[in-house]
Amino acid sequence: MDPIRNPYAPGAGSPPPELAGRDELRSSINTALQRIKIGRPDKSILMVGLRGVGKTVLLDNIREMAESLGVQTLRIEAPEERSLPAILAPQLRQALLRLSLNERARAAAHRALRGLAGFAKALKVKFHDIEVGLDFEAEPGLADNGDLEHDLQALLEEAGIAAREGGTALALFIDELQYVEEDELAALITAMHRVAQRRLPVILVGAGLPQLRGRMGRAKSYAERLFDFPIVDRLPRPAAIQAILKPAQDEGVDIELAALEYIFEKTRGYPYFLQEWGKHTWEAATVSPITLSDVERASDSAVAALDESFFRVRFDRLTPVEKTYLRAMAEIGPGPHRSGDIAQQLQREVSSLGPTRSQLIAKGMIWSPSHGDTAFTVPMFDEFMKRIMPTSDWRN
Ligand SMILES: Nc1ncnc2c1ncn2[C@@H]1O[C@H](COP(=O)(O)OP(=O)(O)OP(=O)(O)O)[C@@H](O)[C@H]1O
Ligand SMILES: [Mg+2]
């Protein structure tokens, strides 16, 4: 098929041609946003799911939805190396400056910006990476204690008041939340708790790996009650078929049912894989309708493309010891696995593998679905590990 018109979009955060299977979640978040905007209480939302299921794409989609509702938004991604206050401050400043364009919100937005000045100055001691343009002088006593938990709370309260004065709401979109340090996460939870208590129109819409939920609970025990944790999962069969078929039909191309079934079987409905299979199948086919044999011919190159991108970027961040640990997991299958079974593969004591396991959790490679269990956060990573470390001497 014409490569120029290939509609599929494999890639981290690439908007898919058809956002399949997420209508229910989008609509419930839409309701929450509208409620918050008119001063009704609703929970903040933290979407959790494995790598490549479409969390980032959803976050961006919902942000657009929020903006079209007239909600003021900011969007950040928690990187592994930087502090939350450092990435939050500049985006919050932009949002407050936009709010201050609104006559009714101006005075409160300016006050919040003074709060931001105090916040940045006071916390610079602890978080050296804070760098934000300051539009106003700090106001003594406003968000400038130097204690993140206190100051973030004060700052978000001021921002919430400004949003309320402007007849709108402030929605914070934060991706990769599992990378935020626990004390910073605790401060964020406290601040969200406070604005909720005061009925201020501030909402957090976050996304992260499945370990996020446990991390939040450890940071603040009441976090599980304060937030909703919808699971973003692989697509069920009808949605997966829709994700492949609809974009082709929009281009005037049909796809045989057998071909669609085969794509579903190969990808198990994981969104990233669906896009990759869609793309390669389109490339392999020459006429409409696309057939099963087109998909069969495309499968090897789809797998190779995933190996070189989706899987590879994860693999390259691992130390040799971590690779061996994951390879041992792969040896016993897709998982989840008991720690004892992994240790047995490696002929080691469970306790001696603790540090490696912790590092892999911190890197976002594995998580613990229940006590003593270990699972991959990257779908089908077991099969990839066997492809990339095939020889029987991986144990050495
Ligand atoms: N609902 C969907 N229907 C079809 N394709 C989708 C859907 N959601 C996401 N995708 C596709 O899946 C791929 C991965 O999406 P995205 O980067 O949002 O996943 P993610 O969960 O954020 O992954 P990661 O944890 O690696 O950041 C993209 O190519 C995107 O186009
Ligand atoms: Mg993402």
Side-chain angles (χ1 to χ4, degrees), residues 20-342:
R22 306 297 189 213
D23 288 351
E24 217 173 291
L25 182 55
R26 289 178 65 244
S27 133
S28 73
I29 300 180
N30 185 296
T31 305
L33 287 164
Q34 298 206 51
R35 284 177 58 81
I36 295 284
K37 196 179 163 208
I38 61 166
R40 298 287 150 84
D42 216 324
K43 286 183 175 178
S44 283
I45 297 136
L46 300 178
M47 302 183 282
V48 292
L50 301 177
R51 289 285 176 207
V53 288
K55 303 178 295 297
T56 300
V57 151
L58 258 173
L59 208 62
D60 288 335
N61 180 277
I62 294 163
R63 184 186 180 195
E64 279 170 28
M65 193 163 84
E67 301 230 303
S68 71
L69 292 169
V71 169
Q72 202 53 254
T73 72
L74 64 83
R75 160 85 157 87
I76 56 180
E77 178 177 328
E80 279 173 274
E81 305 297 331
R82 293 189 61 203
S83 71
L84 180 68
I87 44 168
L88 185 61
Q91 292 303 316
L92 191 59
R93 174 192 176 214
Q94 300 290 335
L96 290 170
L97 287 172
R98 283 194 303 271
L99 261 174
S100 71
L101 299 175
N102 177 331
E103 198 75 53
R104 286 176 6 234
R106 182 162 306 150
H110 286 177
R111 182 173 157 81
L113 283 163
R114 288 197 293 277
L116 182 65
F119 177 89
K121 276 198 187 132
L123 288 169
K124 182 91 184 164
V125 185
K126 181 158 182 225
F127 302 100
H128 305 285
D129 56 348
I130 297 186
E131 266 170 36
V132 58
L134 300 178
D135 310 273
F136 292 90
E137 285 295 322
E139 183 176 314
L142 189 62
D144 66 350
N145 260 17
D147 165 54
L148 179 62
E149 193 148 327
H150 173 276
D151 291 350
L152 185 61
Q153 179 180 321
L155 182 59
L156 284 191
E157 276 184 77
E158 294 304 329
I161 293 168
R164 187 184 60 196
E165 298 299 303
T168 181
L170 176 68
L172 317 174
F173 290 86
I174 312 185
D175 203 0
E176 303 280 2
L177 254 179
Q178 78 280 346
Y179 287 140
V180 174
E181 296 292 336
E182 225 162 84
D183 57 333
E184 298 167 27
L185 212 49
L188 182 63
I189 298 166
T190 308
M192 292 311 300
H193 190 200
R194 180 72 187 149
V195 293
Q197 278 176 334
R198 288 198 59 188
R199 293 268 181 109
L200 290 169
V202 181
I203 186 170
L204 169 66
V205 184
L209 292 173
Q211 49 261 60
L212 176 61
R213 196 176 171 147
R215 272 181 82 77
M216 299 280 290
R218 277 191 301 278
K220 286 283 168 195
S221 56
Y222 58 82
E224 304 221 17
R225 274 171 285 136
L226 194 60
F227 301 104
D228 269 337
F229 291 89
I231 295 170
V232 182
D233 211 341
R234 55 188 162 156
L235 298 177
R237 187 173 165 281
I241 286 181
Q242 169 89 345
I244 294 294
L245 184 57
K246 176 85 176 5
Q249 285 179 337
D250 288 347
E251 294 295 329
V253 171
D254 212 353
I255 308 180
E256 279 184 2
L257 187 59
L260 293 166
E261 295 281 5
Y262 189 72
I263 292 179
F264 180 61
E265 187 188 311
K266 284 285 179 190
T267 61
R268 292 184 221 149
Y270 282 107
Y272 199 113
F273 303 157
L274 285 167
Q275 296 302 324
E276 201 75 79
W277 250 268
K279 177 181 173 211
H280 288 270
T281 301
W282 181 278
E283 280 172 9
T286 49
V287 291
S288 175
I290 291 175
T291 64
L292 175 60
S293 99
D294 293 327
V295 184
E296 283 170 345
R297 275 184 293 113
S299 285
D300 282 350
S301 59
V303 172
L306 285 170
D307 282 359
E308 278 316 303
S309 56
F310 185 71
F311 293 120
R312 186 86 208 195
V313 292
R314 310 269 141 66
F315 184 79
D316 286 346
R317 297 170 59 243
L318 302 169
T319 66
V321 173
E322 292 166 352
K323 286 178 185 169
T324 309
Y325 188 94
L326 296 180
R327 181 62 182 82
M329 279 176 67
E331 190 68 17
I332 24 183
H337 302 301
R338 307 292 305 166
S339 295
D341 296 340
I342 301 168

